[in-house]
Amino acid sequence: MTRQQLVEQIRSKQNYLIVGLDTDITKIPRHLLSTADPVFEFNKQIIDATKDHCVGYKINTAFYEALGIPGWEAMEKTAAYIPSTHFKIADAKRGDIGNTSSQYAKAFFETLQFDAITVAPYMGADSVLPFLEYKDKWTIVLGLTSNSGARDFELQKAGDELLYEKVLRTAAQWGTADQLMFVVGATQASEFTNIRAITPNHFYLVPGVGAQGGSLKDISEKAMNKEVGLLVNASRAVIYASGGEDFAVKAKQVALEYQQEMAGYL
């Protein structure tokens, strides 16, 4: 999906919501456990219920990899089931030496055909560039995250700036704003004005809204640019809105609430 197509989807659907499919088999409704593939059945019903109120989905690969082959198969089926009109993110946080990153890129961009993948930039340019070689695919670099551990490295001084600022400035030179995004946690709202000044044209993938307490209003006011430039992820708040048989109905209601709030900011 190109930048123009992504922006068009945001404008036409009047939202910038990404639904996170962080599907934990221990948390899905019990009545699904008797189906042939409980994880995929859960995801399928969530997608059917929410697709009119979001612009994409983010699959956190750890929840699938933890289940071995059945989990990987559920991830493949889920990725294939997501409509082509929706942005499809592999939240895999990969990052390794060049030849290994090339294989990660092939796995998620060719075999699974995701539109985007999250990557860790700690090993530098040669660990990220293989992902950027793919046309019309997106590399989403970890910038400033929501977790408390962000203080250990990201918010530490690196010369005259904070480490996360150095990551943003440096990584922005590896590609263009048409192929490179940054992960910026919603709970770091106080930093958004500074982050937007450093990377004025880039899209941000913003986790941490909902269950983690991030403010959609603060993010939208401080970080939106002329092409919106935001993809806000909500996972648990949407997919676990109910633990009963009405889980998909409740997920739809929550996604609609996000969509309506986002439409107001657009």
Side-chain angles (χ1 to χ4, degrees):
M1 185 177 290
T2 66
R3 183 187 180 100
Q4 180 181 353
Q5 290 170 329
L6 179 58
V7 173
E8 287 173 354
Q9 288 294 318
I10 291 170
R11 296 294 188 192
S12 65
K13 293 174 180 171
Q14 283 293 285
N15 75 84
Y16 37 96
L17 176 64
I18 299 293
V19 172
L21 297 173
D22 300 358
T23 306
D24 185 341
I25 197 168
T26 68
K27 294 181 179 180
I28 66 177
R30 294 183 62 82
H31 72 281
L32 296 178
L33 298 178
S34 61
T35 62
D37 189 338
V39 170
F40 174 64
E41 183 59 33
F42 178 83
N43 289 348
K44 179 176 179 292
Q45 292 191 42
I46 291 289
I47 292 166
D48 289 342
T50 61
K51 62 185 178 183
D52 292 337
H53 307 301
C54 69
V55 295
Y57 295 91
K58 179 175 72 66
I59 293 178
N60 188 322
T61 63
F63 289 90
Y64 302 82
E65 294 172 87
L67 300 176
I69 292 174
W72 192 269
E73 290 175 343
M75 180 168 63
E76 286 186 302
K77 288 191 287 186
T78 299
Y81 191 76
I82 295 170
S84 60
T85 52
H86 287 61
F87 197 60
K88 187 163 43 178
I89 302 170
D91 188 4
K93 298 181 180 69
R94 299 301 199 257
D96 208 329
I97 58 174
N99 61 341
T100 305
S101 282
S102 294
Q103 294 302 309
Y104 282 140
K106 183 176 181 179
F108 289 98
F109 288 157
E110 296 183 33
T111 303
L112 293 170
Q113 298 187 358
F114 280 92
D115 295 302
I117 184 172
T118 57
V119 303
Y122 187 81
M123 292 182 68
D126 58 331
S127 68
V128 176
L129 292 177
F131 297 97
L132 292 167
E133 293 176 359
Y134 281 78
K135 179 178 173 59
D136 298 336
K137 299 290 188 178
W138 292 82
T139 302
I140 310 177
V141 175
L142 295 177
L144 180 57
T145 55
S146 290
N147 61 309
S148 60
R151 294 190 295 269
D152 293 339
F153 297 112
E154 298 167 26
L155 292 169
Q156 294 295 315
K157 276 283 190 179
D160 295 330
E161 57 190 345
L162 297 178
L163 180 58
Y164 90 82
E165 295 174 322
K166 185 175 185 66
V167 168
L168 294 176
R169 294 184 201 281
T170 304
Q173 300 174 31
W174 298 339
T176 71
D178 292 334
Q179 60 178 166
L180 194 149
M181 299 187 192
F182 292 100
V183 175
V184 183
T187 58
Q188 305 286 3
S190 62
E191 298 290 328
F192 267 101
T193 301
N194 179 50
I195 291 168
R196 185 51 85 190
I198 297 171
T199 51
N201 299 316
H202 288 77
F203 261 85
Y204 305 146
L205 173 63
V206 185
V209 166
Q212 295 183 52
S215 168
L216 178 57
K217 182 176 186 292
D218 285 348
I219 296 161
S220 301
E221 291 177 349
K222 293 178 179 179
M224 194 176 291
N225 63 17
K226 62 182 180 180
E227 289 190 309
V228 185
L230 292 174
L231 293 173
V232 173
N233 180 83
S235 300
R236 287 170 286 173
V238 176
I239 67 176
Y240 300 136
S242 169
E245 295 189 11
D246 64 344
F247 73 95
V249 173
K250 295 297 185 182
K252 181 175 183 176
Q253 291 175 356
V254 175
L256 175 60
E257 290 170 4
Y258 277 118
Q259 186 270 318
Q260 290 174 334
E261 184 178 354
M262 289 176 174
Y265 301 135
L266 289 170

